[in-house]
Amino acid sequence: MTLNTSRRGFLKSAAATAAVLYVGARPDGAIAAANAEGAMLNPFVKISSDGTVTAIVKHFEKGQGPATGLTTLIAEELGIPIEDVAYEFAPSDAGAYNNLFLGPFQGTGGSTAMANSFMQYRRAGAAARDMLLQAAANAWGVDASTLSLDDGVIKGPGYEAPLADFVAAAAQIAPPAEPRLKDPSEFKLIGNEAVRRKDTPPKINGTATYAMDLHLDNQMIAVIARSPRMGGLVAGFDESDAKGIKDFIRAAELPNKAGVVVFAENTWAALQARAALAVDWDFSAAETRSSGEIRDQLLAAVNADPEYNVTDTDQAAIGAAIDKAATVLDETFYFPLLAHAPMEPLTCTIEATADGGVILHDGCQFPTGPHMALSQILQLPMEKVQINTLFAGGSFGRRATPTADYQVEAALAFAVTDRTRPVKLVWTREDDITGGYYRPAFAHRVRVGLDGSGNIIAWDHRIAGQSVMKGTAFEDFSVHHGIDHSSVEGTSDTLYTIPGHFVGLTDVAKATSVLWWRSVGHTHTAYVMESMIDMAAKAAGHDPVEFRLDLLAGGDTDQARIAGVLQLAAEKGGWGKAADGRTQGIAVHKSFGSYVAELVEVSGNAQDGVQIEKVTCAVDCGIAVNPDVIKAQMEGGIGYGLGHAMRNEITLTEGAVDQSNFPDYEPLRIGDIGAIEVHIVPSTEPPTGVGEPGTPPSAPALANAIAATGHRVTSLPMVNNGVSFS
Amino acid sequence: MAMTLKLNGTTRDVDAEPGTPLLWVIRDELKLTGTKFGCGVASCGACTVHLDGEPVRSCQTYVEDVEGAEITTIEGLNSDISAAVQQAWTELDVVQCGYCQSGQIMSAVGLLSETAKPTLEEIDLYMDGNACRCATYQRIRAAIQRASQIMEA
Ligand code: FES
Ligand code: FES
């Protein structure tokens, strides 16, 4: 593996002298190629004269697997063993490396890495293969169609040579407009469970370099003292007590007054100096509310007429139908603020380059945003800002903020220096838990009317919360007619056939900075939908799986696929066959194009202690490129969903966050879930997301299993709402 | 304050104030960054190193207390047990983001050094202090059992 993590390696690779064949795409999608002397093409694959193949991975690696996935696509089409393909993370170049689903924007999010890259990287690999074969055909005087490239060797009738022999010649050939893509029956790597992660070796021996691990010569560590209440500004500070701390350098107010930056020669000195700093805060513009008030406001909103009619249906008529129904269910749900708490606290480093520019070293999720932000703050043209993407120790959404929050902090800190020394901004866990950007709190109220035979006849669903997208650069992407789709996704577009379906939304005013959190709106909408469907099944006296299947019998593909995972999870998890003393709950949800069902089996009960014994998951995410990575993402998504539902919330007292570190934002632990089993539905559909879709069904499946013991939880976290866990 | 540490089989001279967590000496001064900073308060295990073969949280271990002890970090692992653990971690592709995994592996080696064939309950108990935000726990369990098999073979 030749991942460039050192500064020297990065600069060398930027100069890129060794590789002679580059294949990438032009912004219009056409295949483009270049050779060593050639154009400044930022490629998807480069092949050196010695035959070394390197995949350039345009998505950052936070554990979700693109380093393996995109490399698999290149290796598959090129016809070489995946072990022989190195990878590098792409530089920041929104023209070459944009996310095809996000427009002119380079970034990783919305579980799109594989979905948007699948054809792009295959086409690049296939074009490189076609060019190598053509070069061999020219040399041997045969037709290229008689040649093949397998395991890195080009073969034809009477000929055989390693691909390295033809790299130089291939680099002189025009790329094919339409390279020949493999038929799925020819796949050796795509769909192969034996393919191992490319990033395992450095992550098990301590050599993987995360942004937190970067140590540049002469660097300064920067930590920031931020307002204890959200939105407070610096009124003044006194560093006298920090001056005696060895290796403390100095403190300075950030130009935007959001904090005081403390510089030191090392991290421990910086942390001690920050603790010794006395800062006066101006709280006049700060948040002063407590979580109770925010909660009251949300609950009031779902009991009033909503601001937006999301479904464009007749709310009054639907309400009237419910009033007359044989059975009425009426439930109110509440979801607290949540922190992402990725394992690696936020950090990045900015260093000056010899030509007057800067390099941002970062586990960079959305390069285009920080690229523009640094250019503005440091008053540099875009081409003078480079980004070196390093491994990221998790994200769950946190490393991608529309404001580029921590990169902006680093730039502001760098700007108050003379710019000669690299500045490494370090966040602690306390900074992370108290530092804003939470999954917004949401309330839902749902009224469902059933007729005398237990059929749903009308559904009135009101949602209130703070929009994640409004007022950000992503507003156009998600907000239409005032409605932020990410607040309601999973409700108005439910795959269940629901007659008389009304969904209303009320946006509440800003309480904190809020952010997408692994699966965004689905984190709360799936919980509500799948809890209500379960309650409706119970009210109707029907089996919850059968009841759902009846609502998914419309015959379209979407319903068939979601019914498929539901049936598979039920079958594999032994639905209805819980061991003595155990109960089961099931939930199913579509998000990010993928269909996931989860069956949770628990022992115990809410009062004496619940133990999650087993989770059985079925997923349909189209073609499963790396099945073992998909399983891992389901396992992780389930753990993330269950851990937070069980015991996490962020609360505020007069605008200050009450939690501060893992002891009061307790992570899921190894003993919390007995076992997880994942089953993948075979598919020939294009690949869809896997990073997020495992999360939404997990919490409602657990809630449904606990409800079967007699306790229905409609407010999270469960530990604060009547459930203990053993 | 000048001190001499025994680390990964060598001796290293360091200059650190008393009260400095071993974690920051290892990461910032000795530039061995396989040992991670996750919480600083002994509640995540990302900073786990061995002190005379026993896993400890280096964020809550002070440098002046470890002079003379054998300190081993992920970079210094070099035993049949650690080889078995790393092989099992590779076979099962345990890692996701990987940031917790140095600590997981240090703890797993500690467990298998004490108990060559741990039960699932013993694994859960021993590994309870090592958080993984990516929730790779299923695979950690399976990999510890697999490492135990490799050691037996
Ligand atoms: S950093 Fe030491 S236990 Fe978390
Ligand atoms: S692998 Fe990401 S925290 Fe464990």
Side-chain angles (χ1 to χ4, degrees):
Chain A
M1 214 212 36
T2 57
L3 188 65
N4 281 314
T5 48
S6 72
R7 183 159 50 144
R8 232 183 50 217
F10 175 67
L11 295 172
K12 203 167 78 195
S13 118
T17 48
V20 307
L21 171 59
Y22 298 78
V23 180
R26 288 203 304 259
D28 65 0
I31 303 268
N35 52 42
E37 309 85 62
M40 290 295 294
L41 173 73
N42 272 325
F44 300 129
V45 56
K46 57 183 182 188
I47 308 179
S48 319
S49 49
D50 65 356
T52 308
V53 178
T54 306
I56 313 299
V57 176
K58 70 175 186 175
H59 291 286
F60 90 138
E61 178 63 80
K62 59 183 158 175
Q64 85 285 30
T68 308
L70 304 196
T71 305
T72 300
L73 303 177
I74 295 286
E76 177 70 80
E77 292 291 349
L78 201 44
I80 50 176
I82 188 164
E83 297 76 21
D84 294 350
V85 184
Y87 70 92
E88 287 172 7
F89 295 118
S92 174
D93 177 351
Y97 298 120
N98 63 318
N99 183 323
L100 299 180
F101 295 174
L102 297 181
F105 203 90
Q106 184 178 351
T108 304
S111 296
T112 55
M114 180 53 74
N116 95 96
S117 307
F118 185 62
M119 294 308 284
Q120 197 176 41
Y121 275 69
R122 285 180 64 200
R123 278 163 53 86
R129 178 203 57 218
D130 284 355
M131 293 163 77
L132 288 161
L133 292 183
Q134 188 58 54
N138 293 349
W140 294 336
V142 299
D143 193 290
S145 66
T146 64
L147 304 180
S148 66
L149 204 176
D150 256 319
D151 283 344
V153 179
I154 298 175
K155 281 188 194 155
Y159 295 98
E160 183 170 325
L163 71 81
D165 290 3
F166 299 102
V167 174
Q172 306 302 326
I173 292 174
E178 282 309 321
R180 191 190 78 80
L181 294 178
K182 280 189 177 173
D183 183 81
S185 64
E186 301 170 79
F187 287 161
K188 285 182 167 178
L189 301 175
I190 293 174
N192 185 343
E193 189 132 14
V195 168
R196 298 288 82 195
R197 287 184 74 106
K198 294 293 286 181
D199 54 347
T200 288
K203 288 179 175 178
I204 62 169
N205 63 16
T207 59
T209 303
Y210 299 79
M212 189 64 91
D213 301 333
L214 197 72
H215 194 113
L216 300 180
D217 290 346
N218 204 28
Q219 72 180 15
M220 292 193 284
I221 301 294
V223 298
I224 294 175
R226 299 176 187 82
S227 170
R229 280 185 184 163
M230 292 191 200
L233 297 174
V234 177
F237 72 93
D238 177 1
E239 61 182 320
S240 332
D241 288 349
K243 285 200 168 129
I245 292 164
K246 183 169 173 288
D247 294 332
F248 165 70
I249 300 171
R250 71 182 180 106
E253 187 177 299
L254 288 180
N256 64 358
K257 292 190 179 296
V260 177
V261 57
V262 174
F263 296 103
E265 298 293 344
N266 59 64
T267 318
W268 181 241
L271 296 177
Q272 283 184 300
R274 179 173 70 171
L277 201 67
V279 185
D280 270 344
W281 296 101
D282 169 3
F283 290 131
S284 53
E287 177 61 48
T288 54
R289 284 176 298 171
S290 300
S291 343
E293 292 162 70
I294 295 167
R295 180 186 174 116
D296 290 347
Q297 187 192 5
L298 292 176
L299 293 175
V302 293
N303 285 306
D305 277 340
E307 191 177 359
Y308 301 107
N309 181 334
V310 179
T311 37
D312 206 12
T313 46
D314 187 340
Q315 183 189 354
I318 288 167
I322 294 170
D323 291 339
K324 284 189 286 208
T327 308
V328 177
L329 305 172
D330 185 347
E331 296 289 342
T332 300
F333 295 82
Y334 185 74
F335 302 89
L337 296 169
L338 291 174
H340 305 71
M343 200 69 201
E344 178 196 24
L346 300 177
T347 178
C348 62
T349 300
I350 298 178
E351 71 165 321
T353 56
D355 69 351
V358 293
I359 302 176
L360 170 70
H361 302 269
D362 182 20
C364 198
Q365 181 158 5
F366 272 19
T368 306
H371 194 152
M372 294 194 293
L374 263 61
S375 156
Q376 276 168 17
I377 293 168
L378 301 174
Q379 309 255 300
L380 293 167
M382 286 288 278
E383 61 276 12
K384 285 280 170 76
V385 177
Q386 301 174 60
I387 297 179
N388 176 28
T389 293
L390 300 165
F391 283 126
S395 171
F396 316 114
R398 182 61 184 89
R399 288 180 210 279
T401 52
T403 54
D405 69 311
Y406 68 94
Q407 296 97 342
V408 163
E409 280 189 345
L412 293 171
F414 188 70
V416 300
T417 70
D418 65 5
R419 305 192 182 192
T420 56
R421 299 182 67 178
V423 170
K424 176 179 178 181
L425 173 72
V426 173
W427 282 47
T428 61
R429 180 62 55 202
E430 289 82 1
D431 296 335
D432 171 59
I433 299 290
T434 60
Y437 293 96
Y438 303 111
R439 192 283 302 270
F442 265 85
H444 292 237
R445 182 180 173 202
V446 186
R447 293 202 311 139
V448 177
L450 304 171
D451 68 15
S453 324
N455 301 304
I456 294 174
I457 53 167
W459 183 297
D460 176 338
H461 192 154
R462 296 160 195 208
I463 303 172
Q466 189 183 326
S467 163
V468 168
M469 304 288 187
K470 278 191 178 175
T472 74
F474 293 88
E475 178 154 352
D476 288 351
F477 190 70
S478 183
V479 181
H480 303 288
H481 308 293
I483 299 164
D484 181 349
H485 180 71
S486 80
S487 298
V488 299
E489 56 190 359
T491 59
S492 49
D493 54 357
T494 179
L495 295 181
Y496 293 123
T497 303
I498 298 177
H501 191 199
F502 170 79
V503 177
L505 171 68
T506 302
D507 278 342
V508 299
K510 179 176 158 93
T512 67
S513 8
V514 295
L515 186 63
W516 37 65
W517 183 100
R518 198 175 195 169
S519 81
V520 201
H522 300 283
T523 58
H524 50 97
T525 61
Y527 191 92
V528 173
M529 291 303 296
E530 289 301 288
S531 296
M532 289 308 302
I533 289 284
D534 230 61
M535 285 184 258
K538 187 169 182 221
H542 290 162
D543 172 77
V545 172
E546 294 303 324
F547 188 77
R548 284 175 171 83
L549 291 173
D550 284 346
L551 296 175
L552 296 169
D556 70 40
T557 316
D558 247 359
Q559 286 192 328
R561 289 180 74 183
I562 199 167
V565 294
L566 178 62
Q567 285 167 308
L568 186 60
E571 178 204 321
K572 298 288 186 185
W575 176 249
K577 296 183 219 125
D580 268 0
R582 294 191 182 183
T583 58
Q584 296 176 322
I586 201 161
V588 63
H589 196 74
K590 179 187 180 187
S591 61
F592 308 95
S594 295
Y595 311 80
V596 182
E598 287 160 15
L599 190 167
V600 171
E601 188 162 313
V602 303
S603 58
N605 60 54
Q607 207 180 349
D608 305 328
V610 170
Q611 170 67 41
I612 301 169
E613 300 288 352
K614 186 172 178 191
V615 183
T616 308
C617 168
V619 52
D620 176 348
C621 56
I623 294 171
V625 175
N626 298 128
D628 198 46
V629 171
I630 293 166
K631 288 183 178 176
Q633 284 307 296
M634 292 301 126
E635 293 160 13
I638 289 166
Y640 201 70
L642 291 180
H644 290 87
M646 288 162 73
R647 53 183 172 238
N648 294 137
E649 69 176 323
I650 291 292
T651 56
L652 305 178
T653 301
E654 295 179 356
V657 175
D658 297 321
Q659 294 71 27
S660 68
N661 199 320
F662 287 140
D664 49 17
Y665 197 78
E666 173 66 21
L668 184 86
R669 300 282 176 178
I670 191 167
D672 285 326
I673 302 175
I676 301 179
E677 196 178 283
V678 180
H679 301 274
I680 300 174
V681 176
S683 173
T684 53
E685 298 292 324
T688 47
V690 299
E692 294 166 277
T695 298
S698 60
L702 173 60
N704 292 339
I706 294 172
T709 74
H711 183 81
R712 170 63 65 182
V713 193
T714 56
S715 288
L716 295 180
M718 291 177 173
V719 291
N720 295 348
N721 291 280
V723 183
S724 65
F725 289 93
S726 36
Chain B
M1 188 176 117
M3 267 176 270
T4 305
L5 300 182
K6 288 203 265 179
L7 187 125
N8 296 339
T10 60
T11 55
R12 305 285 298 259
D13 293 328
V14 300
D15 177 24
E17 294 303 291
T20 305
L22 178 60
L23 170 68
W24 296 115
V25 176
I26 292 171
R27 287 182 56 83
D28 281 1
E29 171 124 5
L30 300 174
K31 301 190 177 60
L32 289 171
T33 54
T35 304
K36 302 301 186 196
F37 165 56
C39 70
V41 297
S43 84
C44 78
C47 64
T48 305
V49 300
H50 291 180
L51 216 56
D52 294 327
E54 293 267 339
V56 298
R57 309 295 183 226
S58 65
C59 68
Q60 288 290 322
T61 302
Y62 301 98
V63 64
E64 65 272 21
D65 297 335
V66 299
E67 264 199 305
E70 289 285 350
I71 305 162
T72 310
T73 69
I74 184 85
E75 293 90 346
L77 283 181
N78 176 23
S79 70
D80 290 350
I81 295 177
S82 65
V85 167
Q86 283 165 324
Q87 182 188 330
W89 246 249
T90 306
E91 284 179 15
L92 297 178
D93 266 352
V94 172
V95 309
Q96 289 187 30
C97 85
Y99 195 79
C100 73
Q101 298 292 343
S102 297
Q104 304 284 0
I105 288 170
M106 296 309 287
S107 289
V109 171
L111 166 61
L112 290 167
S113 307
E114 271 176 37
T115 312
K117 284 180 77 168
T119 62
L120 285 178
E121 290 70 30
E122 286 169 323
I123 294 173
D124 284 358
L125 198 64
Y126 197 93
M127 301 297 291
D128 185 59
N130 284 88
C132 174
R133 295 293 293 161
C134 300
T136 62
Y137 298 123
Q138 307 303 306
R139 290 174 191 236
I140 290 171
R141 264 197 210 118
I144 289 174
Q145 294 197 307
R146 173 72 188 122
S148 169
Q149 272 177 6
I150 297 169
M151 284 157 54
E152 236 178 359

